[in-house]
């Protein structure tokens, strides 16, 4: 007969296997679905899939082929948003993208990250920090941009291609570089 500790360990193992199966299944379906072209009907199907995962998806959102969004929940996309090919969105924390925003090719939006343990502790077991990313209305994020956890990009801002957003971006500004810095105000 098994002890309570052994039974508990077996239950955790089974729970871990179920979670792993569900995560891999989600990733498989998402990869197949998001490899399809950006026809209106297919974009609606992609949006519905994300909604079933817990996301809120606005009207007329365009998903180019190759977009990767995981885990799907904690995502809020406004109306008339375009996500270009190769965009990666990690929604472990909250990600909100406002209306009429353009997210350029191969942009990465990260709302969670592993924590670094003190005293040379083991990174694998150190935990995970979640911080929201908020992108305002009418924002243009260029290609190959990285947006780090906890950042806000204000309405009407432009983030130049190849930038790394490590600080908040004020509304109606143009920023660029690594780290992204103010280039000028929009006039």
């Amino acid at each position: 007969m098994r002890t309570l500790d052994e039974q508990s360990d077996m239950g955790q193992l089974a729970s871990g296997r179920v979670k792993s199966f569900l995560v891999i299944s989600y990733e498989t379906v998402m990869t197949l679905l998001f490899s399809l072209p950006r026809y209106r009907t297919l974009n609606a199907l992609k949006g519905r899939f994300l909604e079933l995962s817990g996301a809120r998806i606005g009207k007329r959102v365009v998903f180019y082929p190759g977009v990767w969004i995981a885990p799907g929940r904690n995502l809020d996309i406004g109306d008339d948003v375009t996500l270009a090919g190769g965009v990666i969105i990690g929604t472990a924390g909250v990600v909100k993208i406002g209306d009429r925003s353009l997210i350029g090719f191969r942009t990465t939006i990260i709302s969670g990250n592993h924590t670094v343990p003190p005293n040379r502790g083991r990174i694998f077991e150190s935990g995970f920090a979640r911080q929201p990313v908020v992108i305002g209305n009418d924002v243009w994020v260029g290609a190959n941009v990285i947006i780090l956890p906890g950042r806000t990009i204000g309405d009407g801002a432009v983030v130049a291609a190849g930038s790394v957003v490590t600080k908040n971006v004020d509304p109606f500004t143009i920023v660029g570089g690594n780290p992204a810095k103010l280039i000028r105000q929009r006039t």
Side-chain angles (χ1 to χ4, degrees):
M1 193 155 169
R2 295 199 163 116
T3 68
L4 289 177
D5 285 342
E6 290 173 328
Q7 289 175 357
S8 176
D9 289 345
M10 288 177 59
Q12 288 176 352
L13 181 61
S15 175
R17 287 182 179 160
V18 169
K19 181 180 178 184
S20 179
F21 174 79
L22 292 173
V23 168
I24 293 168
S25 296
Y26 170 88
E27 292 172 344
T28 301
V29 171
M30 189 209 43
T31 299
L32 293 171
L33 183 59
F34 281 78
S35 69
L36 298 172
R38 56 188 170 105
Y39 293 119
R40 184 181 312 226
T41 303
L42 294 177
N43 281 328
L45 182 62
K46 295 171 189 180
R48 185 69 184 127
F49 171 78
L50 291 170
E51 289 171 344
L52 291 171
S53 303
R56 190 200 74 76
I57 306 298
K59 298 173 186 160
R60 298 173 302 278
V61 174
V62 176
F63 300 96
Y64 277 64
V67 169
W68 175 271
I69 299 172
R73 66 182 183 279
N74 303 324
L75 177 65
D76 185 341
I77 298 179
D79 297 337
D80 302 305
V81 170
T82 297
L83 302 175
V87 167
I88 298 171
I89 302 176
T91 62
V94 173
V95 174
K96 182 177 182 342
I97 301 172
D99 297 338
R100 300 170 307 279
S101 290
L102 306 172
I103 310 300
F105 291 99
R106 292 175 303 282
T107 287
T108 301
I109 301 169
I110 307 165
S111 65
N113 208 351
H114 296 279
T115 57
V116 177
N119 300 323
R120 298 184 183 183
R122 294 174 61 170
I123 290 176
F124 186 79
E125 298 162 352
S126 67
F128 201 78
R130 292 164 176 80
Q131 295 177 296
V133 172
V134 178
I135 299 172
N137 297 320
D138 299 302
V139 171
W140 178 16
V141 177
N144 293 306
V145 169
I146 299 172
I147 302 171
L148 296 178
R151 300 301 133 223
T152 295
I153 300 175
D155 292 345
V158 176
V159 181
S163 298
V164 178
V165 178
T166 61
K167 295 182 179 175
N168 292 342
V169 176
D170 290 332
F172 300 100
T173 58
I174 299 173
V175 300
N178 180 5
K181 294 183 179 172
L182 178 66
I183 295 173
R184 67 179 171 88
Q185 298 285 325
R186 281 187 58 197
T187 54

